[in-house]
Amino acid sequence: MPPQPSRTPATGIRIVGRALTCAVFALAGLLFYVSAQTARGTDLRTDNSLLSLGDVIRQRSSQNQQAQAQLADLQARSQELTEQQGGNPADTARQDVLRDAAALEPLQGPGLTVTLNDAPPNATARIPGVPEPGVNDLVIHQQDIQAVVNALWRGGAAGVQVMDQRLISTSAVRCVGNTLLLQGRVYSPPYVVKAVGRTDALRAAVETDPTIRNYLRYVQAYGLGWKVQESGDLAVPGYSGTTDLRSAGGQP
């Protein structure tokens, strides 16, 4: 029997190297397959499911703003067609009263404007003995805006506007992080609240509200923004969004 060729160390190393190379390629192929199955043909970096909450809110806010503009245009056209067709004067007068009560018509008259704003980012305690502020001490919270709105209603406001939107009976003031979410749209500070009504009654209601008084302590201590302005001729727009109630006590 002829002598068998002996397996040298170099031959063994080459065989092991080839085996490892094949294993690496096989593993890479498996990873590509799993990734493709998970993505199912989509780009993992741009998949909507990976959008942050803030991105989703901003996207929905823009969509809602466009939808509200279209709705306002349709409502105006509907009102114009109704007036052209005429009808019972009593019914027309009743519709006008209902539209006023539903905040669908703009208002103009004397009123009050209240502006709230975050403190400067580098704010420190302004009063001796007051502890240095934390992050939550320097920003506007939901209860601050809601307190102003509630005080204006108690003061007899005929209509209230927050930022560029008129409030109705189902409006909800909500904050997500340090932004305001109102009727499907997102706002950043400063927050402006306007109310049409007797300015003396409105101001008295704001100045005596206990939640606002507590907020004013933070204004003095850390420099949160606060401004109250009276006007003899203030205008607030009519509500232009949907009036459907989507949930009990919810937001339209």
Side-chain angles (χ1 to χ4, degrees):
M1 177 180 294
Q4 297 294 325
S6 61
R7 179 173 296 176
T8 64
T11 302
I13 292 174
R14 284 196 296 270
I15 294 174
V16 172
R18 290 171 183 171
L20 289 176
T21 301
C22 292
V24 169
F25 279 114
L27 181 59
L30 178 61
L31 290 176
F32 284 131
Y33 173 79
V34 173
S35 177
Q37 287 297 107
T38 302
R40 294 190 181 275
T42 61
D43 186 351
L44 291 175
R45 293 187 181 274
T46 59
D47 190 353
N48 288 336
S49 64
L50 301 181
L51 291 175
S52 67
L53 178 59
D55 293 333
V56 173
I57 291 175
R58 283 188 289 270
Q59 183 185 55
R60 295 293 185 271
S61 175
S62 177
Q63 293 173 351
N64 287 338
Q65 186 172 0
Q66 294 175 3
Q68 287 179 353
Q70 294 175 355
L71 177 60
D73 181 61
L74 292 174
Q75 288 176 337
R77 291 169 59 187
S78 175
Q79 179 69 15
E80 182 180 354
L81 291 174
T82 301
E83 293 174 354
Q84 290 177 354
Q85 292 176 357
N88 191 326
D91 291 340
T92 302
R94 183 170 181 271
Q95 289 176 2
D96 292 340
V97 172
L98 292 176
R99 288 181 62 85
D100 288 338
L104 300 180
E105 293 295 329
L107 282 177
Q108 191 164 358
L112 210 66
T113 300
V114 180
T115 305
L116 305 91
N117 200 1
D118 292 345
N122 58 347
T124 58
R126 297 181 169 186
I127 302 176
V130 174
E132 290 302 314
V135 175
N136 288 330
D137 298 325
L138 303 178
V139 297
I140 304 300
H141 294 282
Q142 177 176 314
Q143 65 265 23
D144 303 326
I145 305 173
Q146 189 65 64
V148 172
V149 171
N150 291 342
L152 293 171
W153 284 128
R154 284 196 303 271
V160 176
Q161 172 187 349
V162 176
M163 302 305 281
D164 59 350
Q165 294 197 70
R166 177 80 171 271
L167 299 187
I168 61 174
S169 59
T170 55
S171 298
V173 175
R174 296 172 181 168
C175 285
V176 179
N178 63 340
T179 59
L180 169 65
L181 178 61
L182 177 62
Q183 295 167 169
R185 293 165 63 182
V186 179
Y187 302 91
S188 299
Y191 301 120
V192 180
V193 185
K194 298 180 180 181
V196 171
R198 287 179 45 199
T199 55
D200 56 342
L202 295 174
R203 181 180 283 275
V206 168
E207 292 177 348
T208 57
D209 184 89
T211 304
I212 295 178
R213 284 185 171 181
N214 183 63
Y215 171 81
L216 292 178
R217 295 190 184 98
Y218 285 81
V219 172
Q220 295 176 350
Y222 304 125
L224 285 166
W226 175 257
K227 183 187 294 184
V228 179
Q229 297 173 294
E230 293 186 9
S231 174
D233 188 20
L234 187 67
V236 297
Y239 176 73
S240 60
T242 177
T243 55
D244 294 338
L245 184 62
R246 296 182 179 178
S247 59
Q251 179 176 336

